[in-house]
Amino acid sequence: MSNEVTISARNVVKAFGQGDAVVRALDDVSVDIRKGEFFTLLGPSGCGKTTLLRLIAGFEMPTGGTILLDGTDITTLPPNRRPVNTVFQSYALFPHLTVAQNVAFGLEMLGRPSSEVKARTAKMLALVKLEALAGRRTSQLSGGQQQRVALARALAPAPKVLLLDEPLSALDLKLRQAMQIELKRLQLETGITFVFVTHDQEEALTMSDRIAVMSAGKIQQVGSAREIYIHPRNRFVASFIGETNFLTGMGEADGVLLGTGERVPAPGLGAKGPVTVSVRPEQLRLGLPGQGLKGTVRSLVYFGTDTHCHLGLSDGTEIVARLQSPASGDAGLTEGQEVGISFAEGGVQRVED
């Protein structure tokens, strides 16, 4: 992946409505998307992620700001004049055409020579592993196969950027997980910049080189999956990416003093005054009473590979520890049992409210 920027949004605003009813779907958004990366826009419904995708595609015009592609301003260019293709959630395939004809359609509309269309179509079908189904109508395909046809059609003209608007949401869990791997493989093999929109954190963590977490029309944090998971910038990011526990107290040089009078070690925290910290469930360690914070087991939830232990602190705060389930499935804990709670090194992270 290059550090060269392909898509650059600068102070982008998108407002809907007028007067007191105006809604800012995007509120002064700036972000750079690098050449050849798998970049994900992640957030809940209504956060502005699809709106930003549509602005990049040219399906919507911004109220303010600019969008650059390879340094050229494309803000007002119509979609057909942008070297960008989009894969939609609905796939939008032609049911009366064969798989090969669907893939070739865009190339034919661009006026490419028939020899090029034939060769490129064959190459794309091989890329998505559908050569054997080239003559079948798309209405005869499974959801996963239709997804692959849509991808092949979008990739055929070799766009500089491929936009994907929640393309896996209609698939069942197993197929969705398999397609996550296939999408990443396609992106690596083609070297095309992928911009992927989803509200599913697992999809984002699995496939992305970098993620932009969005909320209320703003980008909250941009970084790799590891950076965002381990070092969330604020409370929203910490809670949206994975599960977490929040503890509040008074910051000290190397820890947090809780309202219970107990202290949570956090070397290098360097915070004075009121502070909130985030601790992922897998970063909690349970031991004998007296070893760390005082906790009481409230409930145990078995998830197969993991067991979630819901714990109550002495002030009533509830936190969750994720424990690896032993072969027997018995976590060795019982409801009402008192335990000591400690934290893995580096597991306590300060977050902004």
Side-chain angles (χ1 to χ4, degrees):
M1 183 180 67
S2 168
N3 286 325
E4 184 181 343
V5 174
T6 292
I7 293 286
S8 182
R10 287 283 171 263
N11 307 109
V12 171
V13 174
K14 180 61 179 178
F16 296 97
Q18 295 180 342
D20 294 340
V22 70
V23 174
R24 285 199 168 199
L26 293 173
D27 189 4
D28 195 27
V29 168
S30 294
V31 66
D32 289 334
I33 300 172
R34 299 169 187 160
K35 182 178 181 180
E37 77 172 329
F38 198 120
F39 189 89
T40 296
L41 300 172
L42 173 69
S45 297
C47 71
K49 58 188 185 295
T50 295
T51 300
L52 181 54
L53 194 83
R54 290 178 64 82
L55 293 180
I56 296 171
F59 300 139
E60 301 274 359
M61 293 294 114
T63 307
T66 57
I67 296 175
L68 309 176
L69 193 153
D70 289 344
T72 300
D73 189 342
I74 62 168
T75 308
T76 59
L77 278 183
N80 64 330
R81 293 185 57 194
R82 303 186 185 204
V84 172
N85 264 356
T86 306
V87 176
F88 299 98
Q89 183 177 337
S90 64
Y91 311 147
L93 300 176
F94 300 112
H96 62 288
L97 300 181
T98 66
V99 167
Q101 288 169 336
N102 267 275
V103 175
F105 182 81
L107 296 170
E108 292 170 344
M109 291 299 99
L110 292 171
R112 303 285 176 84
S114 58
S115 58
E116 180 185 338
V117 171
K118 184 177 180 180
R120 186 70 181 168
T121 297
K123 183 176 181 179
M124 290 302 100
L125 289 175
L127 185 67
V128 298
K129 301 175 183 177
L130 286 178
E131 309 101 301
L133 302 180
R136 186 174 297 184
R137 294 190 185 277
T138 56
S139 57
Q140 300 172 312
L141 303 181
S142 68
Q145 290 167 338
Q146 290 181 26
Q147 166 71 270
R148 290 168 186 257
V149 177
L151 285 166
R153 184 177 64 183
L155 289 168
K160 289 186 177 180
V161 179
L162 183 65
L163 308 175
L164 301 109
D165 188 9
E166 302 203 51
L168 307 183
S169 60
L171 305 179
D172 62 53
L173 177 61
K174 290 290 186 182
L175 187 52
R176 189 162 67 245
Q177 291 173 336
M179 284 304 302
Q180 289 170 14
I181 297 170
E182 282 300 299
L183 274 178
K184 186 59 181 175
R185 177 186 67 82
L186 287 171
Q187 192 271 325
L188 289 172
E189 287 191 21
T190 61
I192 292 172
T193 302
F194 277 29
V195 182
F196 186 87
V197 162
T198 185
H199 62 271
D200 187 314
Q201 57 181 275
E202 180 185 311
E203 288 182 357
L205 293 172
T206 300
M207 297 184 290
S208 311
D209 294 312
R210 289 192 305 148
I211 301 167
V213 183
M214 299 185 67
S215 174
K218 293 181 178 290
I219 291 179
Q220 302 295 319
Q221 186 172 354
V222 178
S224 69
R226 185 180 297 274
E227 289 167 350
I228 288 175
Y229 186 81
I230 296 177
H231 301 291
R233 178 173 296 167
N234 57 36
R235 193 181 185 103
F236 174 82
V237 174
S239 61
F240 194 79
I241 299 286
E243 299 176 60
T244 198
N245 301 292
F246 293 111
L247 297 172
T248 58
M250 298 300 292
E252 301 176 339
D254 57 354
V256 180
L257 184 64
L258 302 180
T260 61
E262 299 170 296
R263 189 173 174 280
V264 176
L269 185 71
K272 300 292 184 181
V275 66
T276 299
V277 294
S278 166
V279 187
R280 300 293 185 184
E282 66 272 15
Q283 301 297 329
L284 271 66
R285 303 290 183 264
L286 304 187
L288 297 174
Q291 298 177 347
L293 306 185
K294 179 182 177 180
T296 303
V297 177
R298 290 186 175 174
S299 64
L300 297 163
V301 183
Y302 180 66
F303 283 93
T305 56
D306 298 326
T307 296
H308 290 195
C309 180
H310 293 254
L311 303 153
L313 301 185
S314 55
D315 65 352
T317 300
E318 183 173 296
I319 59 176
V320 179
R322 183 184 298 130
L323 313 173
Q324 185 172 3
S325 299
S328 64
D330 184 357
L333 297 167
T334 58
E335 292 183 12
Q337 179 179 343
E338 290 192 357
V339 294
I341 304 170
S342 57
F343 308 95
E345 184 178 353
V348 179
Q349 295 289 325
R350 182 186 179 186
V351 293
E352 300 173 4
D353 287 327

